[in-house]
Amino acid sequence: MKAWYMADIPEGGDQRDEHKTDPVQEVGEEQLKALGVLYWHIDVATHEKALEGICSERNYAAQDVITCSQDKLPNYEEKLKTFFAEHLHEDEEIRYVTEGSGYFDVRSLDDRWVRIQVTPGDLLILPAGIYHRFTLDNNNYIQAKRLFQAEPKWTPINRPADDNTFRLDYLKAVAN
């Protein structure tokens, strides 16, 4: 996992590019943790036991697999637009990357975008209430396990949602 503060995407620019600032402003795991974002790297070849432990510890009861690529994801272009719209969820968003790569962008406490590059073996947990978005990188392919505490809730709540209870709870949690 690598993370950095994003430069603005220029007019007509490609969201799948890195968009690093000059000079690059890297963001470490501790900075992500301060935003409520949790990260593990788990070897793909032997991930089942470690993933089971995390699922048990965090009460994840269900999982599925998503493959994002032009030939595997129905309504590909529309889905990518939806994933890249800034939004929050009322549940954690948990992804374990098994193949390919992509970017999760999360808002910092000062409202800047932090781009998190995920590759095989990366497990990322975004807290409920954090503004975020997702995009593929220039490889245009990712496969990930999605983990859930209960039945999946797919409803993104697009920004602005500053009065959303989960957003308010998130802001209180990261303020401490």
Side-chain angles (χ1 to χ4, degrees):
M1 183 272 312
K2 294 180 184 174
W4 56 88
Y5 284 103
M6 278 185 73
D8 291 334
I9 299 174
E11 186 72 32
D14 189 339
Q15 69 194 35
R16 298 168 305 157
D17 292 339
E18 291 182 328
H19 298 289
K20 291 182 175 180
T21 56
D22 184 17
V24 176
Q25 296 174 289
E26 292 183 354
V27 175
E29 275 186 62
E30 288 304 312
Q31 290 168 285
L32 291 175
K33 196 172 188 177
L35 298 175
V37 176
L38 303 178
Y39 169 79
W40 289 264
H41 184 82
I42 304 168
D43 186 271
V44 175
T46 59
H47 74 277
E48 291 297 335
K49 189 168 180 74
L51 209 53
E52 278 179 28
I54 292 169
C55 287
S56 176
E57 176 184 313
R58 299 187 65 83
N59 298 314
Y60 300 147
Q63 63 179 274
D64 69 8
V65 174
I66 186 169
T67 303
C68 295
S69 69
Q70 201 157 14
D71 60 330
K72 297 282 186 185
L73 186 66
N75 303 315
Y76 175 77
E77 294 296 335
E78 192 59 38
K79 289 280 192 195
L80 289 185
K81 287 178 188 171
T82 300
F83 296 159
F84 199 65
E86 184 175 4
H87 62 279
L88 61 82
H89 296 287
E90 294 184 343
D91 288 321
E92 291 181 335
E93 183 162 331
I94 308 101
R95 300 292 182 267
Y96 174 69
V97 180
T98 56
E99 297 176 7
S101 51
Y103 300 118
F104 282 92
D105 300 336
V106 298
R107 285 288 186 181
S108 67
L109 297 179
D110 61 353
D111 212 34
R112 294 175 63 195
W113 282 117
V114 175
R115 177 151 277 192
I116 306 167
Q117 181 181 40
V118 291
T119 59
D122 289 341
L123 173 65
L124 196 65
I125 300 176
L126 305 182
I130 192 172
Y131 284 127
H132 67 281
R133 61 190 183 188
F134 172 79
T135 189
L136 293 172
D137 60 15
N138 288 307
N139 294 316
N140 292 313
Y141 177 81
I142 195 168
Q143 184 176 78
K145 288 188 177 186
R146 301 184 291 190
L147 308 173
F148 311 97
Q149 291 178 334
E151 288 303 309
K153 294 180 190 173
W154 297 115
T155 309
I157 300 167
N158 288 348
R159 191 173 188 179
D162 296 328
D163 59 349
N164 177 282
T165 303
F166 290 86
R167 176 69 181 164
L168 295 172
D169 288 347
Y170 166 75
L171 292 172
K172 285 180 195 166
V174 295
N176 295 331

